[in-house]
Amino acid sequence: KVVLVTGGGGSIGSELCRQLMAFQPQQLVLFDISENYMYDLFFELQEHFPNGLRDKLILCVGSIQDGDRLSEVMAQHRPDVVLHAAAHKHVPLMEDCPTQAVKNNVFGTYTAATVAITHGVKRFVMISTDKAVNPTNVMGATKRLAEMIIQALNAQGKTEFTAVRFGNVLGSHGS
């Protein structure tokens, strides 16, 4: 299958990519706003999976807030599955920048999800957080809103939406 990972260069997204490569996907598309993290991950994975990685691992720079860019990438690569790990996750920073948390975590998720529906993605898995349970901070509240959005979108189109909540992930940015 073709798998697209939003936030593919980040701490959680990159770990998903490391583990996915063991399953030999047809193609693994990383979508991230940070080209440096993706570039570093490419060379790390090239050491472990040297054969044909250039054809299998595709790096796409872009923001989940940019529907046109997401649509372009999904039209080109036609993912079967989207693992949506892109988000602002740093609790104290999001307390200081709540509008950015809402723009990225809420509206960015909505954009990624609706583009997935448009392009016939079969499954969309949102990586959420334990902080979305009875949220007490901006980051948790935005992730809870994002969960509610994908639940509501489950009734539209043929895309199956699910969410998984991670707790504090050792070594992740913001933990």
Side-chain angles (χ1 to χ4, degrees):
K1 296 192 183 260
V2 176
V3 180
L4 185 146
V5 181
T6 70
S11 50
I12 293 171
S14 64
E15 183 59 28
L16 289 170
C17 292
R18 286 181 197 96
Q19 300 212 10
L20 283 166
M21 286 303 294
F23 293 100
Q24 300 179 358
Q26 178 183 337
Q27 220 174 36
L28 182 56
V29 181
L30 279 67
F31 186 86
D32 202 301
I33 200 162
S34 172
E35 75 278 11
N36 291 329
Y37 288 143
M38 284 193 300
Y39 191 74
D40 291 345
L41 180 61
F42 178 84
F43 284 101
E44 176 191 328
L45 291 174
Q46 196 167 34
E47 290 178 24
H48 299 320
F49 305 95
N51 297 328
L53 191 66
R54 288 206 183 274
D55 297 327
K56 188 169 285 208
L57 186 64
I58 309 299
L59 308 181
C60 299
V61 176
S63 168
I64 59 169
Q65 296 176 51
D66 184 348
D68 290 340
R69 177 64 177 142
L70 265 170
S71 187
E72 177 184 296
V73 168
M74 287 193 199
Q76 182 178 0
H77 299 288
R78 303 225 169 264
D80 300 292
V81 178
V82 171
L83 300 179
H84 177 52
H88 289 321
K89 300 176 182 87
H90 197 287
V91 172
L93 279 176
M94 294 307 98
E95 290 298 309
D96 292 341
C97 308
T99 56
Q100 294 307 306
V102 171
K103 283 180 182 178
N104 200 59
N105 295 356
V106 178
F107 294 113
T109 295
Y110 177 77
T111 299
T114 56
V115 169
I117 290 170
T118 300
H119 289 279
V121 171
K122 292 178 185 77
R123 175 173 273 179
F124 184 103
V125 180
M126 178 188 145
I127 309 303
S128 190
T129 173
D130 60 350
K131 292 165 186 67
V133 181
N134 300 320
T136 60
N137 55 59
V138 170
M139 193 280 285
T142 60
K143 293 297 274 184
R144 179 64 186 123
L145 283 168
E147 289 177 359
M148 294 167 74
I149 286 167
I150 65 162
Q151 285 174 326
L153 290 174
N154 238 342
Q156 298 180 20
K158 296 179 181 173
T159 303
E160 178 186 347
F161 288 93
T162 57
V164 60
R165 289 178 174 160
F166 286 11
N168 283 341
V169 177
L170 291 177
S172 70
H173 306 296
S175 285

Coordinates of all heavy atoms in Angstrom, one line a residue, residues 30-82:
L30 N 6.4 11.0 2.9 CA 6.6 11.9 4.1 C 6.1 13.3 3.7 O 6.6 13.8 2.7 CB 8.0 11.9 4.6 CG 8.5 10.8 5.4 CD1 8.5 9.5 4.7 CD2 9.8 11.1 6.0
F31 N 5.2 13.9 4.5 CA 4.8 15.2 4.2 C 5.0 16.0 5.5 O 4.5 15.7 6.6 CB 3.2 15.2 3.9 CG 2.7 16.5 3.5 CD1 2.7 16.9 2.2 CD2 2.1 17.4 4.5 CE1 2.2 18.2 1.8 CE2 1.6 18.6 4.1 CZ 1.6 19.0 2.8
D32 N 5.9 17.0 5.4 CA 6.3 17.8 6.6 C 6.7 19.2 6.2 O 7.1 19.4 5.1 CB 7.4 17.1 7.3 CG 7.6 17.5 8.7 OD1 7.7 18.7 9.0 OD2 7.5 16.6 9.6
I33 N 6.5 20.1 7.1 CA 6.9 21.5 6.8 C 8.4 21.7 7.0 O 8.9 22.7 6.5 CB 6.0 22.5 7.7 CG1 6.1 23.9 7.2 CG2 6.5 22.4 9.2 CD1 5.0 24.8 7.7
S34 N 9.0 20.8 7.7 CA 10.4 20.9 8.0 C 11.2 19.9 7.0 O 11.3 18.7 7.2 CB 10.8 20.5 9.4 OG 12.2 20.4 9.6
E35 N 11.9 20.5 6.1 CA 12.6 19.7 5.1 C 13.9 19.1 5.8 O 14.3 18.0 5.4 CB 13.0 20.6 3.9 CG 14.1 21.6 4.1 CD 13.7 22.9 4.7 OE1 12.6 23.0 5.1 OE2 14.5 23.8 4.7
N36 N 14.4 19.8 6.8 CA 15.6 19.3 7.5 C 15.4 17.9 8.2 O 16.2 17.0 8.0 CB 16.2 20.3 8.5 CG 16.7 21.5 7.8 OD1 17.2 21.4 6.7 ND2 16.6 22.7 8.4
Y37 N 14.3 17.8 8.9 CA 14.0 16.6 9.6 C 13.8 15.4 8.6 O 14.2 14.3 8.8 CB 12.8 16.7 10.5 CG 13.0 17.6 11.7 CD1 12.0 18.4 12.2 CD2 14.2 17.5 12.5 CE1 12.2 19.2 13.4 CE2 14.4 18.2 13.6 CZ 13.4 19.1 14.1 OH 13.5 19.8 15.2
M38 N 13.0 15.7 7.5 CA 12.8 14.7 6.5 C 14.1 14.2 5.8 O 14.3 13.1 5.6 CB 11.8 15.2 5.5 CG 10.4 15.2 5.9 SD 9.2 15.4 4.5 CE 9.7 17.0 3.8
Y39 N 14.9 15.2 5.5 CA 16.2 14.9 4.9 C 17.1 14.0 5.7 O 17.6 13.0 5.3 CB 16.9 16.2 4.5 CG 18.1 16.1 3.6 CD1 17.9 15.9 2.3 CD2 19.4 16.3 4.1 CE1 19.0 15.8 1.4 CE2 20.4 16.2 3.2 CZ 20.3 16.0 1.9 OH 21.3 15.9 1.1
D40 N 17.1 14.4 7.0 CA 17.9 13.6 8.0 C 17.4 12.1 8.1 O 18.1 11.2 8.1 CB 17.9 14.2 9.4 CG 18.7 15.5 9.4 OD1 19.5 15.8 8.5 OD2 18.6 16.3 10.4
L41 N 16.0 12.0 8.1 CA 15.4 10.7 8.2 C 15.7 9.9 7.0 O 15.9 8.7 7.1 CB 13.9 10.9 8.5 CG 13.1 9.6 8.6 CD1 13.6 8.7 9.8 CD2 11.6 9.9 8.7
F42 N 15.6 10.5 5.8 CA 15.9 9.8 4.6 C 17.3 9.1 4.7 O 17.4 7.9 4.3 CB 15.9 10.7 3.4 CG 16.2 10.1 2.1 CD1 15.2 9.4 1.4 CD2 17.5 10.1 1.6 CE1 15.5 8.7 0.2 CE2 17.8 9.4 0.4 CZ 16.8 8.7 -0.3
F43 N 18.3 9.8 5.1 CA 19.6 9.3 5.2 C 19.8 8.2 6.3 O 20.5 7.2 6.1 CB 20.7 10.4 5.3 CG 20.9 11.0 3.9 CD1 20.3 12.3 3.7 CD2 21.6 10.4 2.9 CE1 20.5 12.9 2.4 CE2 21.8 11.0 1.7 CZ 21.2 12.2 1.4
E44 N 19.1 8.4 7.3 CA 19.0 7.4 8.4 C 18.4 6.1 7.8 O 19.0 5.0 8.0 CB 18.2 7.9 9.6 CG 18.1 6.8 10.7 CD 17.0 7.2 11.7 OE1 16.9 8.4 12.0 OE2 16.4 6.3 12.2
L45 N 17.3 6.2 7.2 CA 16.6 5.0 6.6 C 17.4 4.4 5.5 O 17.3 3.2 5.3 CB 15.2 5.4 6.1 CG 14.2 5.7 7.2 CD1 12.9 6.2 6.7 CD2 14.0 4.6 8.2
Q46 N 18.1 5.2 4.8 CA 19.0 4.6 3.7 C 20.0 3.7 4.2 O 20.4 2.7 3.5 CB 19.6 5.8 2.9 CG 20.1 5.4 1.5 CD 20.5 6.6 0.7 OE1 20.9 7.6 1.2 NE2 20.3 6.4 -0.6
E47 N 20.5 3.9 5.4 CA 21.5 3.0 6.0 C 20.8 1.6 6.3 O 21.5 0.6 6.1 CB 22.0 3.6 7.3 CG 22.9 4.8 7.1 CD 23.5 5.4 8.4 OE1 23.5 4.6 9.4 OE2 23.8 6.5 8.4
H48 N 19.6 1.6 6.7 CA 18.9 0.4 7.1 C 18.2 -0.3 5.9 O 18.0 -1.5 5.9 CB 17.9 0.6 8.2 CG 18.5 1.2 9.4 ND1 19.7 0.8 10.0 CD2 18.0 2.1 10.3 CE1 19.9 1.4 11.1 NE2 19.0 2.3 11.3
F49 N 17.8 0.5 4.9 CA 17.1 0.0 3.8 C 17.7 0.5 2.5 O 17.1 1.3 1.8 CB 15.6 0.4 3.8 CG 14.9 0.0 5.1 CD1 14.8 0.9 6.2 CD2 14.4 -1.3 5.3 CE1 14.2 0.5 7.4 CE2 13.7 -1.7 6.5 CZ 13.6 -0.7 7.5
P50 N 18.9 0.0 2.1 CA 19.7 0.6 1.0 C 19.1 0.4 -0.4 O 19.4 1.1 -1.3 CB 21.1 0.0 1.2 CG 20.8 -1.3 1.9 CD 19.6 -1.1 2.8
N51 N 18.3 -0.7 -0.5 CA 17.9 -1.0 -1.9 C 16.6 -0.4 -2.3 O 15.5 -0.6 -1.7 CB 17.7 -2.6 -2.0 CG 19.0 -3.3 -1.8 OD1 20.1 -2.8 -2.1 ND2 19.0 -4.5 -1.2
G52 N 16.6 0.5 -3.3 CA 15.4 1.1 -3.9 C 14.7 2.1 -3.0 O 13.6 2.4 -3.3
L53 N 15.4 2.7 -2.0 CA 14.8 3.6 -1.1 C 14.3 4.9 -1.9 O 13.3 5.4 -1.6 CB 15.7 4.0 0.1 CG 15.0 4.7 1.2 CD1 13.9 3.9 1.9 CD2 16.0 5.2 2.2
R54 N 15.1 5.3 -2.8 CA 14.8 6.5 -3.6 C 13.4 6.4 -4.3 O 12.7 7.4 -4.4 CB 15.8 6.9 -4.6 CG 17.1 7.4 -4.0 CD 17.9 8.3 -4.9 NE 19.1 8.7 -4.3 CZ 19.2 9.8 -3.5 NH1 18.2 10.5 -3.2 NH2 20.4 10.1 -3.0
D55 N 13.0 5.2 -4.7 CA 11.7 5.0 -5.3 C 10.6 4.8 -4.3 O 9.5 5.0 -4.6 CB 11.8 3.8 -6.3 CG 12.8 4.0 -7.4 OD1 13.0 5.2 -7.9 OD2 13.4 3.0 -7.8
K56 N 11.0 4.4 -3.2 CA 10.0 4.0 -2.2 C 9.7 5.1 -1.2 O 8.5 5.3 -0.8 CB 10.5 2.8 -1.4 CG 9.5 2.2 -0.5 CD 9.9 0.8 0.1 CE 9.7 -0.2 -1.0 NZ 9.5 -1.5 -0.6
L57 N 10.7 5.9 -0.8 CA 10.5 6.9 0.2 C 10.5 8.3 -0.5 O 11.5 8.7 -1.1 CB 11.6 6.9 1.2 CG 11.5 7.8 2.4 CD1 10.3 7.5 3.3 CD2 12.8 7.8 3.3
I58 N 9.3 8.9 -0.4 CA 9.1 10.2 -1.1 C 9.0 11.3 -0.1 O 8.2 11.2 0.8 CB 7.8 10.1 -2.0 CG1 7.8 8.9 -2.9 CG2 7.6 11.4 -2.8 CD1 8.8 8.8 -3.9
L59 N 9.8 12.4 -0.3 CA 9.8 13.5 0.6 C 9.0 14.7 0.0 O 9.3 15.1 -1.1 CB 11.2 14.0 0.9 CG 12.2 12.9 1.4 CD1 13.5 13.5 1.7 CD2 11.6 12.1 2.6
C60 N 8.0 15.2 0.7 CA 7.2 16.3 0.2 C 7.1 17.4 1.2 O 6.6 17.1 2.3 CB 5.8 15.8 -0.2 SG 5.7 14.5 -1.4
V61 N 7.6 18.5 0.9 CA 7.6 19.6 1.8 C 6.2 20.3 1.7 O 5.8 20.6 0.6 CB 8.7 20.6 1.5 CG1 8.6 21.9 2.4 CG2 10.1 20.0 1.7
G62 N 5.6 20.6 2.8 CA 4.3 21.4 2.8 C 3.7 21.4 4.2 O 4.1 20.7 5.1
S63 N 2.7 22.3 4.3 CA 2.0 22.5 5.5 C 0.6 21.8 5.4 O 0.0 21.9 4.4 CB 1.8 24.0 5.8 OG 0.9 24.2 6.9
I64 N 0.1 21.2 6.5 CA -1.2 20.6 6.5 C -2.3 21.7 6.4 O -3.4 21.4 6.2 CB -1.5 19.8 7.8 CG1 -1.3 20.5 9.1 CG2 -0.6 18.5 7.7 CD1 -1.7 19.8 10.3
Q65 N -1.9 23.0 6.6 CA -2.8 24.1 6.5 C -3.0 24.5 5.0 O -3.8 25.3 4.7 CB -2.3 25.3 7.3 CG -2.3 25.0 8.8 CD -1.7 26.2 9.6 OE1 -2.2 27.3 9.4 NE2 -0.8 25.9 10.4
D66 N -2.2 23.9 4.1 CA -2.2 24.3 2.7 C -2.9 23.2 1.9 O -2.3 22.2 1.5 CB -0.7 24.5 2.2 CG -0.6 24.9 0.8 OD1 -1.7 24.9 0.0 OD2 0.5 25.3 0.4
G67 N -4.2 23.3 1.8 CA -5.0 22.3 1.1 C -4.6 22.1 -0.4 O -4.6 20.9 -0.8
D68 N -4.2 23.1 -1.1 CA -3.7 22.9 -2.4 C -2.5 22.0 -2.5 O -2.4 21.2 -3.4 CB -3.4 24.3 -3.1 CG -4.7 25.1 -3.3 OD1 -5.8 24.5 -3.4 OD2 -4.6 26.3 -3.5
R69 N -1.5 22.3 -1.6 CA -0.3 21.4 -1.6 C -0.6 20.0 -1.2 O -0.2 19.1 -1.9 CB 0.7 22.0 -0.7 CG 2.0 21.2 -0.6 CD 2.8 21.1 -1.9 NE 4.0 20.4 -1.7 CZ 4.5 19.6 -2.5 NH1 3.9 19.4 -3.7 NH2 5.6 18.9 -2.3
L70 N -1.5 19.8 -0.2 CA -1.9 18.5 0.2 C -2.6 17.8 -1.0 O -2.3 16.6 -1.2 CB -2.8 18.5 1.4 CG -2.2 18.4 2.8 CD1 -3.2 18.7 3.8 CD2 -1.6 17.0 3.0
S71 N -3.4 18.5 -1.7 CA -4.2 17.9 -2.8 C -3.2 17.5 -3.9 O -3.4 16.4 -4.5 CB -5.2 18.9 -3.3 OG -6.0 18.3 -4.2
E72 N -2.3 18.3 -4.2 CA -1.3 18.0 -5.2 C -0.5 16.7 -4.9 O -0.3 15.9 -5.7 CB -0.3 19.2 -5.3 CG 0.8 19.1 -6.2 CD 1.7 20.4 -6.1 OE1 1.3 21.5 -6.4 OE2 2.9 20.2 -5.6
V73 N -0.1 16.6 -3.6 CA 0.7 15.4 -3.2 C -0.2 14.2 -3.2 O 0.2 13.1 -3.7 CB 1.3 15.7 -1.8 CG1 1.8 14.4 -1.2 CG2 2.4 16.7 -1.9
M74 N -1.4 14.3 -2.7 CA -2.3 13.1 -2.7 C -2.7 12.7 -4.2 O -2.8 11.5 -4.5 CB -3.6 13.4 -1.9 CG -3.2 13.3 -0.4 SD -4.7 13.2 0.6 CE -4.1 13.8 2.2
A75 N -2.9 13.7 -5.0 CA -3.2 13.4 -6.4 C -2.1 12.6 -7.1 O -2.3 11.7 -7.9 CB -3.6 14.6 -7.2
Q76 N -0.9 13.1 -6.8 CA 0.3 12.5 -7.4 C 0.6 11.1 -6.9 O 0.9 10.2 -7.7 CB 1.5 13.4 -7.2 CG 2.8 12.8 -7.9 CD 4.0 13.7 -7.7 OE1 3.9 14.8 -7.1 NE2 5.1 13.3 -8.2
H77 N 0.5 10.9 -5.6 CA 0.9 9.6 -5.0 C -0.3 8.7 -4.6 O 0.0 7.5 -4.3 CB 1.8 9.9 -3.8 CG 3.0 10.6 -4.1 ND1 4.0 10.1 -4.8 CD2 3.3 11.9 -4.0 CE1 5.0 11.0 -5.1 NE2 4.6 12.1 -4.5
R78 N -1.5 9.1 -4.6 CA -2.7 8.3 -4.3 C -2.5 7.4 -3.1 O -2.6 6.2 -3.2 CB -3.0 7.5 -5.6 CG -3.2 8.3 -6.8 CD -4.4 7.9 -7.5 NE -4.9 8.8 -8.6 CZ -5.8 9.7 -8.4 NH1 -6.4 9.8 -7.2 NH2 -6.2 10.5 -9.4
P79 N -2.4 8.0 -1.9 CA -2.2 7.1 -0.7 C -3.5 6.3 -0.4 O -4.6 6.8 -0.6 CB -1.9 8.1 0.4 CG -2.5 9.4 -0.1 CD -2.4 9.4 -1.6
D80 N -3.2 5.1 0.1 CA -4.3 4.2 0.6 C -4.6 4.6 2.0 O -5.7 4.5 2.5 CB -3.9 2.8 0.5 CG -3.6 2.3 -0.9 OD1 -4.5 2.2 -1.7 OD2 -2.4 2.0 -1.2
V81 N -3.5 5.0 2.7 CA -3.6 5.3 4.2 C -2.9 6.6 4.4 O -1.8 6.8 3.9 CB -2.9 4.1 5.0 CG1 -3.0 4.5 6.5 CG2 -3.6 2.8 4.7
V82 N -3.5 7.4 5.3 CA -2.8 8.6 5.8 C -2.7 8.5 7.3 O -3.7 8.2 8.0 CB -3.6 9.9 5.5 CG1 -3.0 11.1 6.2 CG2 -3.7 10.2 4.0

